[in-house]
Amino acid sequence: MRGKAAKQRQLRKDPKYGSQLVTRFISQIMHDGKRQKAEKIFYAAMEKGAKNVKVDPMDFLNQAVDNVRPSLEVKSRRVGGANYQVPVPVSGERQEALVVRWIVGITRKNSGDSFDKLLERQLMDAFNNAGEAVKKKEEVERMAEANKAFAHFRW
């Protein structure tokens, strides 16, 4: 490892729900520093989705995120001139980062409706254990499972 590891900065909790997860979503959605616009979009999507399934908005978000969290992923390791895809467990911080990135990225990729409606649809799909984000999680875990023969290269 070169130099010192970067210090982990503490994320501020969002003012409405007091959750760092919500702050992560808002920061990922935010474009050109327009935080208020991102907050409006995310709160609208989260509250409408929670209203549709008749649960608390934070419970709705936590369930949606838990359904998309990957437990294993593959990392490339170079051993003896060959690259191997080695399955490794995913840390909690990285799980959250991947979930947020996948959900917002898939929402951005889709078009046709307003962003908050598309985001609401993505969160609803994740809550119901369906949709593209859950497929992405399953694909990542399937790849790790297929390469478990190289697990002994993990260090």
Side-chain angles (χ1 to χ4, degrees):
M1 190 160 67
R2 301 168 191 217
K4 295 180 185 174
K7 291 182 183 175
Q8 280 289 346
R9 289 186 299 172
Q10 201 62 14
L11 271 180
R12 282 197 219 136
K13 296 180 178 179
D14 82 296
K16 192 167 185 178
Y17 292 102
S19 167
Q20 287 183 343
L21 180 61
V22 173
T23 304
R24 278 179 179 260
F25 268 102
I26 290 169
S27 296
Q28 187 74 29
I29 292 167
M30 184 169 55
H31 215 289
D32 291 335
K34 298 185 186 285
R35 181 169 291 278
Q36 282 189 327
K37 192 172 186 179
E39 284 175 353
K40 279 184 188 176
I41 289 170
F42 185 72
Y43 291 150
M46 186 168 103
E47 288 163 3
K48 284 180 192 170
K51 191 176 173 186
N52 285 347
V53 292
K54 297 174 179 67
V55 291
D56 177 62
M58 277 311 295
D59 292 339
F60 170 75
L61 181 65
N62 288 330
Q63 181 63 45
V65 167
D66 287 342
N67 287 342
V68 182
R69 276 180 200 273
S71 58
L72 286 173
E73 67 178 344
V74 291
K75 285 197 174 178
S76 197
R77 293 272 187 247
R78 188 165 178 85
V79 178
N83 286 322
Y84 296 104
Q85 296 290 335
V86 179
V88 293
V90 185
S91 71
E93 283 282 312
R94 181 150 170 80
Q95 283 179 348
E96 264 185 20
L98 288 172
V99 168
V100 170
R101 193 181 314 151
W102 290 344
I103 290 176
V104 174
I106 290 166
T107 305
R108 280 218 172 95
K109 191 177 70 176
N110 294 335
S111 63
D113 225 338
S114 63
F115 191 82
D116 61 333
K117 289 181 183 171
L118 292 170
L119 182 60
E120 176 194 346
R121 204 168 302 134
Q122 260 331 300
L123 289 171
M124 286 290 293
D125 284 347
F127 181 81
N128 294 323
N129 222 353
E132 291 180 56
V134 175
K135 281 183 190 170
K136 178 85 171 159
K137 168 203 165 185
E138 290 168 352
E139 178 185 319
V140 165
E141 288 182 338
R142 198 175 319 115
M143 183 84 120
E145 188 64 31
N147 287 306
K148 72 179 180 184
F150 304 121
H152 64 283
F153 288 128
R154 188 171 64 217
W155 59 77

